[in-house]
Each structure stands twice: as C-alpha cells, then as structure tokens.
C-alpha cells in the first residue's frame, strides 16, 4: 500500500482533475463522507466543489486549503481488503490524519495498469473554520500503513516505492504516466518559467520539442538521445504549463546560474514520491538503449 499526500493546495484543481477522469471514463465515483446530501455524486461537479468552497470561504488567511490524497494498493492488497475493506479503511485513514469529520469525495481510477484511489477534501475545519493541523502527516501516514500491514497481513516487500521513477525505453503506460507527471509539476508554483519547467522534465528523462506548428514529447537517455517513439502533445488531456498555447509559449530567458540545482533535486524528490507507477522486475532496472542510425526528424 502506498499513500501519497499531494502538494496541490488548490481544491478546484484537485477536484476537477478527478472529475475530468470520470468524464473520460478513466475513473468513477467511489465514496463520499460527511456531505450535506446523501448522494453528492447525483449533482454537478460545481455543486460538489461548492460543498468544500463554502467551508474554505470561512478562512481567507490560509493559502493552500485543498487536501488531495492518493491511495495506491497492490493487487494483493485489493484482494485481502476487498471492496468493503477499502471503503472502511479510507474512512479510517481520514480519521487517523485528523480529517474524519470533513466532507470528502473518493474517486476510483483505472487509467493505469492498477487500481488506485484519489480523495479530495479541504484542510479548513468544517466546524471551527480553522486550518486543521497537518504536523507530521508523513509520519502519521506511515504509521497507518503499518497498521494495515499488521491488520491484513500485507507484504512489506510489495509496499516499497521505487526511489527512481525516471522514464525509460521500457516504461509502461507511458501516456498516462506522463500526464500524471505534467499534473504534478503543474501544481508546483515555484516552477514559474519555461526554462525551469524544461529542466524539471529532464530530471525524469522527458523532453518537449517543437514539431511543425506543435510539439512532441520524447523520452530521452542520459545524453539527450530519444529512446522510444514520441507522442504528440496534442494527444494529452493534461499538458505541461508553458506549452498550453502559442501565446504562453514565449520562453522567459533567465541566466543559467540562477537555476538552483538543489531546488531541482528537491522537486525531483517530491514528484518521485507523488508519482507511483507499477513496473515489472525486468523493467525496474534501467534499460540503457542506444538508437542506431539517424533519428527521424519530427
């Protein structure tokens, strides 16, 4: 079991990201809790957003009010917990983290080769209007995972998150995982120029190149050579910032020395924790492939 608390503090972005997956039939409504209506999923996405926004409007001082959590069980986890167990433990997790009384929405995703869940709520207390204390959330999350391991006899070996999530020639579910990477980077406000965004993509062996009037996305090796066939940017639902349109594509030039390499490493670490992808044992070891001959121009 892997549980990730996402960096995004914007409630609307988090909710509408999941709502879009439902519209694309890549996810469906799974569970809700503490909402004013019995079945909030019968209404519109704006009605669901308003449930959380009305609470957040009580506190204008807090900037990052949104709560966005993903729960990533293995196949074995799903079998051992079952549907009833998953619904129960998601509620228990919210209680454990201090959000047990908050309204929240759960979406079940099936757009990757594994089932996973996203929970969207707010960090503003629905009763007091104060920000719920989020001290030691990572430690609390790890303690909850350990309690699940003991309760359901889950294998610890299956719960190890890969420390290096760089894309390779053998990466599976490439398009979906690239969209996940774009989404996570889009939420990091400090990546505020195209140059910094491109540098961040390089940390994951990803490069966006111009092709005619549009762009294509390449997976590259350590020296920048493409190692698999590219995907046109127009095919992605979630696209990287600074590539949304021709108007915003103007690159902001800043001196190279201003780019803080330590900050880039921190971003890589944070996004690594957020992006959880399944890989087979054969693929988990980085494949170093070289393309022979001339590369086709795009």
């Amino acid at each position: 079991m892997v549980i990730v608390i996402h960096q995004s503090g914007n409630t609307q972005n988090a909710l509408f990201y999941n709502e879009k997956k439902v519209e694309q039939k890549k996810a469906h409504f799974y569970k809700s809790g503490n909402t004013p209506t019995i079945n909030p999923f019968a209404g519109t996405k704006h009605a669901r957003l308003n449930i959380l926004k009305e609470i957040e409007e009580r506190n204008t001082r807090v900037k990052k009010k949104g709560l966005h959590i993903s729960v990533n069980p293995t196949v074995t986890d799903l079998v051992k917990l079952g549907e009833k167990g998953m619904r129960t433990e998601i509620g228990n997790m919210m209680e454990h983290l201090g959000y047990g009384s908050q309204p929240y929405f759960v979406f079940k995703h099936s757009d990757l080769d594994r089932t996973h869940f996203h929970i969207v709520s707010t960090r503003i207390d629905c009763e007091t209007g104060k920000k719920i204390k989020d001290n030691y959330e990572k430690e609390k999350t790890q303690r909850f995972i350990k309690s699940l391991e003991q309760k359901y006899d889950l294998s610890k070996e299956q719960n190890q998150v890969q420390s290096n999530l760089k894309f390779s020639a053998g990466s599976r579910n490439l398009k979906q995982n690239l969209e996940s990477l774009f989404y996570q980077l889009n939420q990091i406000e400090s990546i505020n120029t195209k140059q910094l965004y491109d540098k961040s993509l390089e940390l994951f062996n990803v490069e966006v190149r111009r092709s005619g009037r549009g762009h294509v996305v390449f997976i590259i090796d350590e020296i920048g050579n493409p190692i698999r066939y590219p995907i046109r940017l127009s095919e992605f639902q979630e696209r990287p910032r600074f590539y949304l349109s021709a108007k915003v594509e103007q690159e902001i030039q800043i001196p190279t020395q201003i780019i803080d390499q330590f900050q880039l490493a921190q971003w890589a670490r944070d996004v690594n924790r957020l992006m959880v992808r399944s890989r087979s044992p054969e693929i988990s070891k980085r494949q170093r492939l070289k393309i022979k001959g001339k590369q086709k121009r795009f």
Side-chain angles (χ1 to χ4, degrees), residues 14-23 26-32 41 45 48 52 68-71 90 104-110 115-121:
L15 182 66
F16 283 7
Y17 167 78
N18 288 281
E19 295 280 354
K20 183 167 67 174
K21 292 291 185 180
V22 174
E23 294 168 1
K26 296 178 180 179
H28 66 264
F29 303 127
Y30 187 71
K31 170 184 170 68
S32 64
F41 296 125
K45 63 181 181 181
R48 288 184 283 278
L52 303 178
H68 188 189
I69 304 173
S70 64
V71 178
I90 286 175
Y104 62 89
F105 305 103
V106 184
F107 301 82
K108 183 177 182 180
H109 289 240
S110 56
T115 297
H116 57 290
F117 306 84
H118 283 246
I119 302 100
V120 180
S121 184

Side-chain angles (χ1 to χ4, degrees), residues 182 185-201 208-210 213-215 233 238-254 267:
F182 296 154
L185 291 178
N186 287 346
Q187 308 308 308
I188 302 178
E189 297 176 359
S190 54
I191 303 180
N192 53 17
T193 70
K194 180 174 178 290
Q195 187 176 7
L196 287 175
Y197 201 103
D198 288 342
K199 284 289 184 181
S200 301
L201 289 175
V208 180
R209 299 180 184 180
R210 174 171 286 283
R213 296 183 179 181
H215 293 84
L233 198 59
E238 182 75 32
R239 302 180 188 180
R241 277 193 296 164
F242 309 106
Y243 291 95
L244 299 178
S245 67
K247 291 183 180 180
V248 298
E249 194 209 352
Q250 298 296 327
E251 181 170 357
I252 302 175
Q253 297 291 340
I254 59 175
W267 290 334

Side-chain angles (χ1 to χ4, degrees), residues 100-236:
S101 299
Q102 296 293 97
Y104 62 89
F105 305 103
V106 184
F107 301 82
K108 183 177 182 180
H109 289 240
S110 56
D111 53 337
L112 304 181
D113 62 347
R114 55 180 172 75
T115 297
H116 57 290
F117 306 84
H118 283 246
I119 302 100
V120 180
S121 184
T122 176
R123 294 181 179 274
I124 304 302
D125 194 299
C126 61
E127 296 179 356
T128 66
K130 298 179 180 180
K131 184 178 183 293
I132 296 174
K133 293 182 179 180
D134 56 0
N135 298 9
Y136 308 108
E137 272 188 343
K138 293 179 181 179
E139 291 81 356
K140 290 179 180 178
T141 301
Q142 290 306 311
R143 285 198 296 270
F144 181 74
I145 292 174
K146 288 182 179 179
S147 70
L148 291 182
E149 291 174 349
Q150 296 174 354
K151 185 176 180 179
Y152 295 95
D153 190 26
L154 305 181
S155 172
K156 294 183 179 180
E157 293 182 358
Q158 294 176 324
N159 296 326
Q160 298 299 316
V161 183
Q162 294 179 8
S163 59
N164 182 5
L165 292 178
K166 288 184 178 182
F167 290 90
S168 68
S171 295
R172 296 182 295 171
N173 301 297
L174 182 61
K175 184 170 176 291
Q176 294 93 332
N177 287 318
L178 281 170
E179 284 192 337
S180 180
L181 172 62
F182 296 154
Y183 172 76
Q184 301 302 339
L185 291 178
N186 287 346
Q187 308 308 308
I188 302 178
E189 297 176 359
S190 54
I191 303 180
N192 53 17
T193 70
K194 180 174 178 290
Q195 187 176 7
L196 287 175
Y197 201 103
D198 288 342
K199 284 289 184 181
S200 301
L201 289 175
E202 288 177 12
L203 295 171
F204 297 88
N205 292 348
V206 178
E207 183 178 341
V208 180
R209 299 180 184 180
R210 174 171 286 283
S211 175
R213 296 183 179 181
H215 293 84
V216 292
V217 181
F218 282 92
I219 304 302
I220 57 176
D221 62 14
E222 304 259 340
I223 59 176
N225 293 324
I227 55 177
R228 62 186 295 169
Y229 199 79
I231 304 176
R232 292 198 171 275
L233 198 59
S234 58
E235 295 181 21
F236 291 91

